[in-house]
Amino acid sequence: KAGVTQTPRYLIKTRGQQVTLSCSPISGHRSVSWYQQTPGQGLQFLFEYFSETQRNKGNFPGRFSGRQFSNSRSEMNVSTLELGDSALYLCASRPGYGEQYFGPGTRLTVT
Amino acid sequence: TQLLEQSPQFLSIQEGENLTVYCNSSSVFSSLQWYRQEPGEGPVLLVTVVTGGEVKKLKRLTFQFGDARKDSSLHITAAQPGDTGLYLCAGVKETSGSRLTFGEGTQLTVNP
């Protein structure tokens, strides 16, 4: 089985721009979660989608949003980028509940 | 404020030594997981513990969940350079559904 894939792997954006990251879960997995990883804050939960519905949400501003498509692929969007949004964005998938499988992440640099 | 406090934050040891990493919280978790992450990759699940007092062994790695389900430890015996990586604990709180709360991580370096 193919693992979780994330695109792009690396991204450089300028303050004020917006960005869209993509995640393709493992085949058959209906849940996709997004996390932000930074050296100072560690891994922080952004949101989880299950069957196209947001099931859980972390404590991030409204500039961070996501969605899930009928094929379980998910996208997250960050608008009006700030320098502090520079981070590794990780996506994880699982069938419904249980063990999460992480992708390799998208490294976002905001300049 | 991190809900899960990991210690130490950094650990550099020689091959063959033993080590213990701690994960502590004032909150109760319904389950706790340990991950290892290598540069350029996402975290990989090592183990899940769900019962207070539970001990799980995975080759040279021993994981323990505290009796009150507020803390956990990871012990590595005879560390090898291949054990080098970022070790993360993550918990699921009974009141937070399925979301994972991560500790800050312990960066382990095992020198040959």
Side-chain angles (χ1 to χ4, degrees):
Chain A
K1 249 186 191 178
V4 177
T5 58
Q6 292 187 244
T7 56
R9 292 293 310 277
Y10 303 92
L11 205 49
I12 300 175
K13 289 286 189 178
T14 304
R15 269 183 305 176
Q17 289 185 317
Q18 74 164 14
V19 67
T20 299
L21 311 182
S22 180
C23 172
S24 292
I26 292 172
S27 177
H29 286 191
R30 296 166 65 190
S31 164
V32 173
S33 296
W34 288 89
Y35 294 83
Q36 181 196 65
Q37 186 175 27
T38 60
Q41 298 295 320
L43 263 149
Q44 294 190 295
F45 174 79
L46 280 156
F47 28 67
E48 180 187 11
Y49 286 87
F50 179 78
S51 293
E52 301 179 66
T53 301
Q54 189 177 84
R55 181 159 72 176
N56 215 329
K57 188 178 188 301
N59 299 320
F60 278 81
R63 300 185 297 107
F64 292 81
S65 63
R67 59 178 177 168
Q68 187 179 34
F69 302 95
S70 58
N71 62 357
S72 294
R73 189 177 70 86
S74 178
E75 290 181 347
M76 69 162 282
N77 183 276
V78 188
S79 61
T80 319
L81 283 165
E82 300 177 359
L83 293 178
D85 296 333
S86 294
L88 180 67
Y89 289 89
L90 291 160
C91 162
S93 79
R94 54 183 164 182
Y97 288 94
E99 179 178 338
Q100 293 194 58
Y101 296 84
F102 283 84
T106 294
R107 171 73 63 186
L108 172 65
T109 302
V110 182
T111 62
Chain B
T1 304
Q2 284 292 123
L3 280 177
L4 278 168
E5 303 283 343
Q6 268 188 255
S7 62
Q9 195 173 355
F10 298 96
L11 195 52
S12 181
I13 61 172
Q14 294 299 121
E15 183 176 1
E17 293 184 359
N18 302 331
L19 66 113
T20 303
V21 176
Y22 299 93
C23 179
N24 296 299
S25 176
S26 57
S27 300
V28 175
F29 290 91
S30 57
S31 68
L32 201 137
Q33 301 174 351
W34 285 92
Y35 291 82
R36 191 177 94 172
Q37 184 178 20
E38 298 191 36
E41 298 179 12
V44 175
L45 180 67
L46 296 173
V47 77
T48 300
V49 285
V50 298
T51 306
E54 182 176 3
V55 177
K56 279 192 174 178
K57 290 191 176 184
L58 186 66
K59 296 183 180 178
R60 293 177 293 102
L61 278 60
T62 301
F63 305 86
Q64 186 163 5
F65 201 11
D67 291 340
R69 291 184 292 139
K70 293 182 179 181
D71 57 87
S72 181
S73 64
L74 157 62
H75 181 80
I76 301 180
T77 303
Q80 299 176 0
D83 295 327
T84 293
L86 178 67
Y87 288 82
L88 296 154
C89 65
V92 177
K93 290 183 68 180
E94 292 174 337
T95 56
S96 65
S98 56
R99 63 183 283 182
L100 282 173
T101 299
F102 279 84
E104 313 99 314
T106 295
Q107 182 61 54
L108 171 66
T109 302
V110 182
N111 302 297

